[in-house]
Short mmCIF file of all heavy atoms in Angstrom, two decimals:
data_model
loop_
_atom_site.label_atom_id
_atom_site.label_comp_id
_atom_site.label_asym_id
_atom_site.label_seq_id
_atom_site.Cartn_x
_atom_site.Cartn_y
_atom_site.Cartn_z
N ASN A 219 1.06 10.90 19.67
CA ASN A 219 0.41 11.45 18.43
C ASN A 219 0.77 10.81 17.29
O ASN A 219 1.90 11.04 16.84
CB ASN A 219 0.55 13.00 18.43
CG ASN A 219 -0.15 13.64 17.35
OD1 ASN A 219 -0.23 13.16 16.23
ND2 ASN A 219 -0.63 14.81 17.70
N PHE A 222 1.99 13.03 14.34
CA PHE A 222 3.17 13.61 14.62
C PHE A 222 4.38 12.54 14.38
O PHE A 222 5.51 12.93 13.85
CB PHE A 222 3.16 14.29 16.00
CG PHE A 222 4.42 15.15 16.31
CD1 PHE A 222 4.57 16.27 15.73
CD2 PHE A 222 5.32 14.54 17.23
CE1 PHE A 222 5.71 17.11 15.99
CE2 PHE A 222 6.54 15.41 17.48
CZ PHE A 222 6.57 16.61 16.97
N TRP A 286 7.09 15.89 20.95
CA TRP A 286 5.67 16.39 21.01
C TRP A 286 5.40 17.05 22.26
O TRP A 286 4.85 18.18 22.39
CB TRP A 286 4.85 15.18 20.94
CG TRP A 286 3.38 15.56 20.90
CD1 TRP A 286 2.52 15.00 21.93
CD2 TRP A 286 2.59 16.29 20.00
NE1 TRP A 286 1.18 15.48 21.61
CE2 TRP A 286 1.28 16.32 20.52
CE3 TRP A 286 2.93 16.91 18.74
CZ2 TRP A 286 0.22 16.89 19.75
CZ3 TRP A 286 1.91 17.58 18.11
CH2 TRP A 286 0.52 17.67 18.61
N GLU A 289 7.38 20.38 22.24
CA GLU A 289 6.86 21.34 21.29
C GLU A 289 5.43 21.82 21.79
O GLU A 289 5.20 23.07 21.68
CB GLU A 289 6.62 20.52 19.97
CG GLU A 289 6.01 21.39 18.87
CD GLU A 289 7.05 22.04 18.07
OE1 GLU A 289 8.31 21.94 18.42
OE2 GLU A 289 6.79 22.96 17.20
N LYS A 290 4.70 21.01 22.52
CA LYS A 290 3.40 21.49 23.02
C LYS A 290 3.56 22.50 24.15
O LYS A 290 2.92 23.47 24.24
CB LYS A 290 2.61 20.32 23.62
CG LYS A 290 1.68 19.66 22.36
CD LYS A 290 0.49 19.03 22.93
CE LYS A 290 0.59 18.21 24.01
NZ LYS A 290 -0.56 17.15 24.33
N THR A 293 4.56 25.81 22.60
CA THR A 293 3.61 26.60 21.65
C THR A 293 2.21 26.49 22.25
O THR A 293 1.21 26.79 21.45
CB THR A 293 3.63 25.91 20.31
OG1 THR A 293 3.17 24.56 20.38
CG2 THR A 293 5.00 25.82 19.74
N ASN A 294 2.03 26.07 23.44
CA ASN A 294 0.71 25.85 24.09
C ASN A 294 -0.13 24.84 23.28
O ASN A 294 -1.38 24.94 23.31
CB ASN A 294 -0.10 27.14 24.08
CG ASN A 294 0.45 28.05 25.19
OD1 ASN A 294 0.88 27.36 26.21
ND2 ASN A 294 0.32 29.36 24.99
N GLY A 295 0.50 24.01 22.49
CA GLY A 295 -0.34 22.99 21.80
C GLY A 295 -0.85 23.43 20.46
O GLY A 295 -0.96 22.61 19.57
N THR A 296 -1.16 24.59 20.29
CA THR A 296 -1.89 24.98 19.05
C THR A 296 -1.07 24.84 17.82
O THR A 296 -1.49 24.36 16.89
CB THR A 296 -2.40 26.45 19.20
OG1 THR A 296 -1.39 27.26 19.77
CG2 THR A 296 -3.65 26.61 19.92
N GLU A 297 0.19 25.39 17.83
CA GLU A 297 0.98 25.41 16.70
C GLU A 297 1.36 23.89 16.32
O GLU A 297 1.37 23.45 15.24
CB GLU A 297 2.31 26.23 16.88
CG GLU A 297 2.07 27.75 16.52
CD GLU A 297 3.31 28.49 16.79
OE1 GLU A 297 4.27 28.01 16.14
OE2 GLU A 297 3.32 29.46 17.48
N ALA A 298 1.75 23.23 17.45
CA ALA A 298 2.12 21.78 17.26
C ALA A 298 1.06 21.07 16.50
O ALA A 298 1.33 20.36 15.54
CB ALA A 298 2.45 21.21 18.61
N GLU A 299 -0.15 21.14 16.91
CA GLU A 299 -1.34 20.49 16.31
C GLU A 299 -1.36 20.92 14.88
O GLU A 299 -1.70 20.11 14.09
CB GLU A 299 -2.69 20.78 17.01
CG GLU A 299 -2.81 20.41 18.47
CD GLU A 299 -3.12 18.96 18.65
OE1 GLU A 299 -3.35 18.33 17.59
OE2 GLU A 299 -3.24 18.60 19.89
N SER A 300 -1.27 22.21 14.57
CA SER A 300 -1.44 22.62 13.18
C SER A 300 -0.41 22.13 12.25
O SER A 300 -0.61 22.13 10.95
CB SER A 300 -1.57 24.10 13.13
OG SER A 300 -0.23 24.60 13.33
N ARG A 301 0.72 21.62 12.67
CA ARG A 301 1.84 21.17 11.81
C ARG A 301 1.64 19.62 11.34
O ARG A 301 2.30 19.26 10.48
CB ARG A 301 3.14 21.31 12.48
CG ARG A 301 3.63 22.64 12.61
CD ARG A 301 4.97 22.83 13.01
NE ARG A 301 5.37 24.16 13.13
CZ ARG A 301 5.45 24.69 14.53
NH1 ARG A 301 5.38 23.91 15.49
NH2 ARG A 301 5.67 26.00 14.64
N VAL A 302 0.74 18.92 12.02
CA VAL A 302 0.77 17.51 11.68
C VAL A 302 -0.54 17.05 10.90
O VAL A 302 -1.44 17.87 10.72
CB VAL A 302 0.96 16.63 12.84
CG1 VAL A 302 2.32 16.81 13.41
CG2 VAL A 302 -0.18 16.82 13.94
#
Side-chain angles (χ1 to χ4, degrees):
N219 183 320
F222 187 72
W286 178 248
E289 184 82 4
K290 272 209 315 192
T293 66
N294 284 334
T296 43
E297 279 183 49
E299 294 282 358
S300 71
R301 285 197 188 101
V302 294

